[in-house]
């Protein structure tokens, strides 16, 4: 090898080393994801195979309750900020492709199954705004007006549903709306009234058939069968607290990552140290699992064998793992102060855990419950891996 | 089905607030300057991150209303202290007594009203 050639080789090797540690490498996105740094308005793009961070994306506004959905090619992350910001991020290059500040205060969003529409649910002004997923141009605004005076309700629990539909709940009005974009960009809106007091979040089952809204104002949940929206909402688990005074709720549970196994749904009880277990065919309660604190996220490992639960302040340093056959606690781990979120790798062999007050994201082996790696992240909250791109309601 | 709001009537709630407010006014509490700098820092952390889960990390509002100086300007401090200590039944605002002392809550409300956090 000549000296010249050797030098070229060295440069190429050095460049490759830089690229593998950062953005710009020619690669797939199937094992990538983002972690929200809630206090600094940044995302870290992570590689779940190498268990490392690839880099940081800045300038995303207030991310204190941020959530993320993915384009169907799993290259672009749509980030919904608390301050009404909607940002489209290219996770391969680590750059912001488009950004709009579309409301004063918002809570989350969804992407249509065909990948063309991105919807955002807003607290203030209450309603839903729908954008072109390519350009982030406004396509449609749906104000959440209710009552004789035309008050606007906060909107929660927004999810996509099959057939270019979005489903969401009106916290102040106690209603569930279905916005149908199947005939173009003019939505046909179906209103379901009197679903229960103060729906606070909702989820859709993985098959896109059932929409379930948790109620804060009463013990129970509202269920809509999207194959038969004309039947309205049905109350399930009504009175699960059996009249006992609930404990004060220091953090609202989340329902997006709700645990559905083949036969059961696992639901957080509001204001109680319990996970409720429901039969998915009848939607009747079949059991309860006493747990360490008030559940926040209740998530099935993708193989459905276990359900992982984290808890509200002040008992938020712990995760418990429920065995779905015996409905008992199989294992308890204490990752550290303020465990905010968990995300399984697509087939469930590993789980990523945000430990906010330790400024860490830990990766655990779900077979041994051993910690495999740690990624330094400043005040981490939500973790969103790209496998969500291909799932209804995520 | 049990409606949470029905467990405590509005009348009883108002009575509680009034009783609390007068009790607070009567019992001169420990002065806030007795709080250590460490405790103050952890209270600010709690405010941003735990109160922030409902009121927004920048306190601009979320499920709960904004807690900016401007938003709280016209509201009596005693009422706000009572809200934090005893919560607001029928709404998601939980009671923090037990976790926070009256002195600490008073210090937090003064801090919010001062606008120093914005």
């Amino acid at each position: 090898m000549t000296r010249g050639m050797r030098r070229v080789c060295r440069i190429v090797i050095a460049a490759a080393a830089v690229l593998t540690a950062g953005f710009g490498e020619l690669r797939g996105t199937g094992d990538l994801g983002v972690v929200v740094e809630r206090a600094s308005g940044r995302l870290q793009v992570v590689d779940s195979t190498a268990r490392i961070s690839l880099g940081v994306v800045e300038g995303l506004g207030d991310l204190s309750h941020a959530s993320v959905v993915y384009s169907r090619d799993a290259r672009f992350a749509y980030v919904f900020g608390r301050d009404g910001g909607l940002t489209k991020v290219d996770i391969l290059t680590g750059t912001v492709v488009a950004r709009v500040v579309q409301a004063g205060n918002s809570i989350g969003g969804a992407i249509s199954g065909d990948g063309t529409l991105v919807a955002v649910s807003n607290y203030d002004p209450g309603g839903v705004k729908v954008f072109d997923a390519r350009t982030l141009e406004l396509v449609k605004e749906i104000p959440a007006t209710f009552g004789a005076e035309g008050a606007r309700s906060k909107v929660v629990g927004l999810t996509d549903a099959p057939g270019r539909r979005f489903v969401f709940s009106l916290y102040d009005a106690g209603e569930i709306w279905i916005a149908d974009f199947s005939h173009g960009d003019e939505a046909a809106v179906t209103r379901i009234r009197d679903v229960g007091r103060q729906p606070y979040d909702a989820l859709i089952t993985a098959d896109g058939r059932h929409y379930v809204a948790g109620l804060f104002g009463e013990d129970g949940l509202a269920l809509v069968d999207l194959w038969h929206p004309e039947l309205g909402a049905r109350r399930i688990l009504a009175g699960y607290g059996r009249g006992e005074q609930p404990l004060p709720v220091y953090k609202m549970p989340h329902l997006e990552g709700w645990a559905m196994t083949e036969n059961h749904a696992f639901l957080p009880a509001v204001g109680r140290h319990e996970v409720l277990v429901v039969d998915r065919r009848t939607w009747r309660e079949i059991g309860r699992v006493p747990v360490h604190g008030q559940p926040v996220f209740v998530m099935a490992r993708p193989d459905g064998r276990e359900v992982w639960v984290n808890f509200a302040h002040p008992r938020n340093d712990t995760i418990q793992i429920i065995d779905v056959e015996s409905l008992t606690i199989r294992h308890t781990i204490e990752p550290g102060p303020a465990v905010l979120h968990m995300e399984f790798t697509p087939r469930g062999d590993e789980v990523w855990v945000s430990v906010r007050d330790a400024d860490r994201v830990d990766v655990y082996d779900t077979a041994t419950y051993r910690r495999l790696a740690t990624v330094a992240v400043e005040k981490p909250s939500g973790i969103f891996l790209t496998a969500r791109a291909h799932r209804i309601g995520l | 089905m049990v409606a949470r709001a029905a467990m405590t009537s509005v009348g009883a709630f108002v009575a509680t607030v009034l009783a609390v407010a007068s009790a607070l006014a009567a019992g001169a509490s420990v002065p806030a300057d007795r709080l250590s700098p460490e405790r103050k820092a952890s209270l600010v952390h709690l405010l941003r991150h735990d109160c922030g889960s409902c009121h927004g990390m920048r306190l601009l509002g979320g499920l709960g209303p904004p807690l900016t100086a401007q938003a709280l300007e016209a509201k009596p401090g005693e009422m706000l202290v009572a809200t934090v200590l005893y919560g607001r039944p029928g709404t998601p605002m939980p009671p923090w007594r037990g976790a926070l002392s009256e002195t600490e809550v008073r210090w937090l409300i003064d801090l919010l009203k001062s606008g120093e956090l914005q």
Side-chain angles (χ1 to χ4, degrees):
Chain A
M1 210 190 285
T2 66
R3 239 167 84 199
M5 270 170 74
R6 236 178 281 138
R7 221 182 62 214
V8 169
C9 270
R10 259 203 316 271
I11 292 170
V12 169
I13 290 165
V18 169
L19 290 179
T20 43
F23 295 115
E25 184 192 358
L26 179 62
R27 62 167 299 158
T29 59
D31 59 355
L32 297 187
V34 299
V35 181
V36 174
E37 292 194 329
R38 68 195 300 275
S40 41
R42 301 190 304 204
L43 292 183
Q44 288 209 20
V45 178
V46 295
D47 175 333
S48 65
T49 304
R51 306 187 198 109
I52 56 168
S53 168
L54 296 179
V56 168
V57 185
E58 287 178 297
L60 306 180
D62 181 351
L63 297 186
S64 61
H65 199 288
S67 62
V68 172
V69 299
Y70 284 100
S71 61
R72 64 198 317 226
D73 63 4
R75 173 169 182 178
F76 298 101
Y78 296 90
V79 185
F80 306 98
R82 166 71 96 179
D83 56 3
L86 164 60
T87 315
K88 180 177 178 180
V89 172
D90 182 340
I91 59 169
L92 281 179
T93 60
T95 52
V96 170
V97 182
R99 175 167 162 84
V100 289
V101 176
Q102 52 82 45
N105 200 317
S106 53
I107 188 64
I111 186 164
S112 60
D114 66 356
T116 59
L117 299 173
V118 171
V120 191
S121 63
N122 292 319
Y123 277 166
D124 183 25
V128 169
K129 281 192 183 173
V130 180
F131 297 86
D132 181 317
R134 213 167 46 81
T135 60
L136 299 192
E137 266 163 54
L138 184 67
V139 169
K140 178 79 188 161
E141 178 166 10
I142 307 169
T145 41
F146 71 104
E149 270 94 62
R152 307 244 328 225
S153 170
K154 295 187 176 84
V155 172
V156 299
L158 171 65
T159 70
D160 59 286
R164 230 176 175 232
R165 287 179 298 174
F166 292 109
V167 190
F168 49 91
S169 300
L170 280 63
Y171 170 82
D172 304 286
E175 298 186 7
I176 293 173
W177 292 14
I178 305 167
D180 183 339
F181 287 89
S182 60
H183 297 295
D185 293 344
E186 268 317 305
V189 178
T190 304
R191 284 176 79 151
I192 301 173
R193 293 187 168 80
D194 300 322
V195 306
R197 288 168 48 86
Q198 296 164 322
Y200 65 89
D201 198 7
L203 78 339
I204 192 166
T205 50
D207 57 8
R209 176 168 180 180
H210 293 107
Y211 178 86
V212 189
L215 301 173
F216 182 82
E218 52 192 272
D219 289 335
L221 302 99
L223 171 74
V224 176
D225 180 350
L226 293 170
W227 289 9
H228 295 287
E230 72 282 358
L231 298 178
R234 192 178 119 196
R235 191 66 48 83
I236 60 171
L237 296 182
Y240 62 72
R242 305 190 181 112
E244 288 159 35
Q245 185 79 39
L247 303 165
V249 176
Y250 293 103
K251 180 163 171 59
M252 298 299 253
H254 275 269
L255 300 188
E256 327 164 41
W258 246 8
M260 298 283 160
T261 60
E262 198 181 338
N263 304 318
H264 301 152
F266 291 80
L267 323 176
V270 179
R272 296 165 207 287
H273 293 188
E274 281 173 345
V275 170
L276 308 171
V277 190
V278 177
D279 181 318
R280 279 191 61 184
R281 277 172 312 244
T282 60
W283 294 97
R284 290 227 163 76
E285 179 181 331
I286 52 170
R288 306 179 169 216
V289 185
V291 288
H292 171 76
Q294 294 182 29
V296 176
F297 283 99
V298 179
M299 309 182 91
R301 200 171 70 185
D303 65 349
R305 183 68 184 82
E306 293 177 346
V307 167
W308 289 49
V309 187
N310 75 330
F311 303 99
H313 172 93
R315 316 198 72 163
N316 55 359
D317 59 352
T318 297
I319 290 176
Q320 284 191 315
I321 296 134
I322 299 171
D323 170 33
V324 304
E325 269 184 342
S326 63
L327 298 183
T328 54
I329 304 293
R330 166 184 275 194
H331 200 73
T332 298
I333 56 176
E334 286 179 32
V339 174
L340 290 201
H341 196 218
M342 304 169 281
E343 178 93 337
F344 290 99
T345 51
R347 301 196 186 187
D349 45 323
E350 293 174 13
V351 65
W352 286 53
V353 175
S354 284
V355 193
R356 185 192 66 199
D357 291 348
D359 297 311
R360 264 186 5 230
V361 170
D362 291 339
V363 184
Y364 283 85
D365 181 327
T366 58
T368 60
Y369 311 116
R370 286 222 330 268
R371 192 164 87 185
L372 299 172
T374 283
V375 181
V377 182
E378 195 182 315
K379 297 276 172 287
S381 57
I383 304 167
F384 304 88
L385 300 183
T386 53
R388 291 171 172 253
H390 310 292
R391 299 215 22 210
I392 293 169
L394 294 177
Chain B
M1 138 201 10
V2 181
R4 267 174 239 283
M7 290 179 186
T8 318
S9 72
V10 174
F13 170 55
V14 171
T16 316
V17 171
L18 289 179
V20 169
S22 60
L24 293 183
S29 58
V30 194
D33 53 24
R34 295 262 286 275
L35 295 174
S36 69
E38 295 76 42
R39 184 60 186 156
K40 285 179 182 169
S42 76
L43 288 173
V44 170
H45 186 273
L46 176 95
L47 191 60
R48 290 214 176 271
H49 295 289
D50 295 302
C51 311
S53 77
C54 289
H55 292 281
M57 194 183 59
R58 298 184 186 170
L59 308 170
L60 299 173
L63 191 65
L67 299 180
T68 55
Q70 201 189 2
L72 299 180
E73 197 179 8
K75 313 211 167 167
E78 295 305 324
M79 184 273 281
L80 297 174
V81 170
T83 295
V84 176
L85 281 174
Y86 294 88
R88 289 215 183 132
T91 81
M93 176 62 192
W96 291 84
R97 68 175 190 284
L100 300 175
S101 74
E102 187 193 316
T103 306
E104 292 169 337
V105 172
R106 213 171 272 283
W107 183 80
L108 278 175
I109 294 295
D110 288 346
L111 183 68
L112 289 169
K113 280 187 162 257
S114 75
E116 264 169 59
L117 289 175
Q118 282 130 52

